[in-house]
């Protein structure tokens, strides 16, 4: 069939009817968004001359992704999660909010309820032979003052790229900790250097990336939620210089401001001072939180997470 068979007027009317826009009852916001989405989808079908076979193949793909609970991978994979961050950045700018640490995607693998400690924590259980890694930093406000009692919620993959509660191989909450800063706003985490990961071989997400001519890999990274009373919650992560996928992260999570360089420590005195008996890696990641304000959108996001069994 040729493209552009339908008039915009007919498509708009059909989308409005399907969304119940002329009906009493229902949820006004759901109606508004549904109508707009349906109209845009109808436009794409008509403009691209999407065939019946292609349409139903797409429906089957969505069903496969839903069955595998993959939307947490798909959304960042098609840049929508990054787009939400960029849009929130712009809203902050227009509200006069600035100066805080850059945000980036949460990803699909957060688990709430990690053990909470004061000042510092060991995140690994000692079973992973990966390189010892010490992360330290300070949480400050926009004026540079330390923020005491901030909660630094950290999670990352192991040396194989797997996450506890996800890969079925690790102890509960391995490589997941919450650290409450002291009066000086500082935190320290002893852990291991993580590896990046790729989407599962048979996943719908990897299938889509292949059709788009893209890979389905993430560089190594460390996730953070940082919160403190009176301040806006920050969702962020850092990546490492030199990673093969640093600037082609399939999930669009890399931001230039959030790239750190590992310092490889081999000096015996520094190794002893760190309470270790072998060389280790370290990095500093300071965080600046912005004050809570009614003029900017909220940064606490209500979304489904993996539940700790």
């Amino acid at each position: 069939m040729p493209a552009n068979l339908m008039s915009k007027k007919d498509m708009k009317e059909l989308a409005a009817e399907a969304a119940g826009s002329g009906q009493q009852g229902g949820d006004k916001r759901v109606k508004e968004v549904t109508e707009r989405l349906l109209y845009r989808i109808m436009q794409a079908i008509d403009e691209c001359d999407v065939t019946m076979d292609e349409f139903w193949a797409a429906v089957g793909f969505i069903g496969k992704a839903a069955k595998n609970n993959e939307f947490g991978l798909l959304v960042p994979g098609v840049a929508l999660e990054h787009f939400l961050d960029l849009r929130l950045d712009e809203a902050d700018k227009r509200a006069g909010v600035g100066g805080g640490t850059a945000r980036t995607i949460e990803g699909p693998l957060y688990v709430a309820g990690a053990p909470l400690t004061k000042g510092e924590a060991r995140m690994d259980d000692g079973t992973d032979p990966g390189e010892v890694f010490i992360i330290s930093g300070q949480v400050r406000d926009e004026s540079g003052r330390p923020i005491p009692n901030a909660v630094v919620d950290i999670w990352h993959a192991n040396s194989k790229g797997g996450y506890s509660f996800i890969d079925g191989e690790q102890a509960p909450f391995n490589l997941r900790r919450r650290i409450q800063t002291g009066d000086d706003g500082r935190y320290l985490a002893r852990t291991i250097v993580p590896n990046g990961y790729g989407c599962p071989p048979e996943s719908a997400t990897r299938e889509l990336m292949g059709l788009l001519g893209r890979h389905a890999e993430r560089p190594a990274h460390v996730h953070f939620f940082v919160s403190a009373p009176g301040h806006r919650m920050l969702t962020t992560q850092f990546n490492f210089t030199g990673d093969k996928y640093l600037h082609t992260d399939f999930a669009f999570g890399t931001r230039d401001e959030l790239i750190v360089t590992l310092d490889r420590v081999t000096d015996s005195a520094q190794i002893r001072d760190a309470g270790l008996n072998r060389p280790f890696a370290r990095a500093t990641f300071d965080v600046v939180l912005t004050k809570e304000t009614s003029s900017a959108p909220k940064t606490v996001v209500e979304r489904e997470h993996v539940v700790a069994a």
Side-chain angles (χ1 to χ4, degrees), residues 132-250:
V132 175
F133 182 27
I134 294 179
I135 307 168
S136 61
Q138 186 180 44
V139 182
R140 302 187 294 265
D141 64 18
E142 304 105 306
S143 300
R145 293 185 294 265
I147 301 177
N149 301 315
V151 175
V152 182
D153 197 337
I154 312 175
W155 72 102
H156 64 78
N158 64 7
S159 62
K160 297 179 181 178
Y163 284 76
S164 59
F165 295 103
I166 310 297
D167 63 9
E169 297 180 358
Q170 301 179 58
F173 291 111
N174 190 44
L175 306 177
R176 300 178 186 271
R177 288 296 185 275
R178 291 178 297 152
I179 305 171
Q180 187 175 36
T181 61
D183 291 340
D184 58 1
R186 296 193 175 276
Y187 74 94
L188 182 145
R190 173 183 165 178
T191 184
I192 58 167
V193 176
N195 207 341
Y197 69 85
C199 297
E202 304 302 321
S203 65
T205 306
R206 183 173 287 276
E207 177 186 349
L208 178 60
M209 294 301 108
L211 292 169
L212 297 175
R214 296 172 50 201
H215 68 70
E217 310 297 323
R218 292 217 65 196
H221 54 280
V222 177
H223 291 276
F224 287 79
F225 282 154
V226 187
S227 58
H231 294 79
R232 304 174 80 215
M233 178 175 164
L234 174 69
T235 300
T236 193
Q237 63 185 252
F238 66 70
N239 302 97
F240 304 94
T241 54
D243 193 290
K244 178 180 179 181
Y245 299 109
L246 179 61
H247 294 294
T248 61
D249 179 4
F250 102 96

Side-chain angles (χ1 to χ4, degrees), residues 38-215:
L38 287 174
Y39 175 59
R40 299 293 188 229
I41 292 170
M42 290 175 188
Q43 273 190 304
I45 291 171
D46 195 42
E47 291 172 0
C48 297
D49 188 25
V50 175
T51 67
M52 292 281 199
D53 287 347
E54 288 171 336
F55 177 84
W56 290 110
V59 171
F61 172 84
I62 293 170
K64 176 182 177 181
K67 182 179 179 181
N68 296 340
N69 196 24
E70 283 187 54
F71 285 113
L73 284 174
L74 270 176
V75 168
V78 294
L80 286 175
E81 191 168 2
H82 179 52
F83 170 75
L84 292 172
D85 283 336
L86 294 177
R87 191 167 184 271
L88 191 52
D89 287 348
E90 185 60 28
D92 282 355
K93 181 180 177 181
R94 296 188 185 192
V97 175
T101 297
R103 62 172 56 88
T104 192
I105 67 169
E106 174 188 325
L109 304 176
Y110 175 72
V111 178
L116 176 66
T117 57
K118 184 79 172 181
E120 61 183 76
R122 179 167 178 176
M123 295 180 62
D124 69 299
D125 62 6
T127 61
D128 193 310
E131 183 179 14
V132 175
F133 182 27
I134 294 179
I135 307 168
S136 61
Q138 186 180 44
V139 182
R140 302 187 294 265
D141 64 18
E142 304 105 306
S143 300
R145 293 185 294 265
I147 301 177
N149 301 315
V151 175
V152 182
D153 197 337
I154 312 175
W155 72 102
H156 64 78
N158 64 7
S159 62
K160 297 179 181 178
Y163 284 76
S164 59
F165 295 103
I166 310 297
D167 63 9
E169 297 180 358
Q170 301 179 58
F173 291 111
N174 190 44
L175 306 177
R176 300 178 186 271
R177 288 296 185 275
R178 291 178 297 152
I179 305 171
Q180 187 175 36
T181 61
D183 291 340
D184 58 1
R186 296 193 175 276
Y187 74 94
L188 182 145
R190 173 183 165 178
T191 184
I192 58 167
V193 176
N195 207 341
Y197 69 85
C199 297
E202 304 302 321
S203 65
T205 306
R206 183 173 287 276
E207 177 186 349
L208 178 60
M209 294 301 108
L211 292 169
L212 297 175
R214 296 172 50 201
H215 68 70

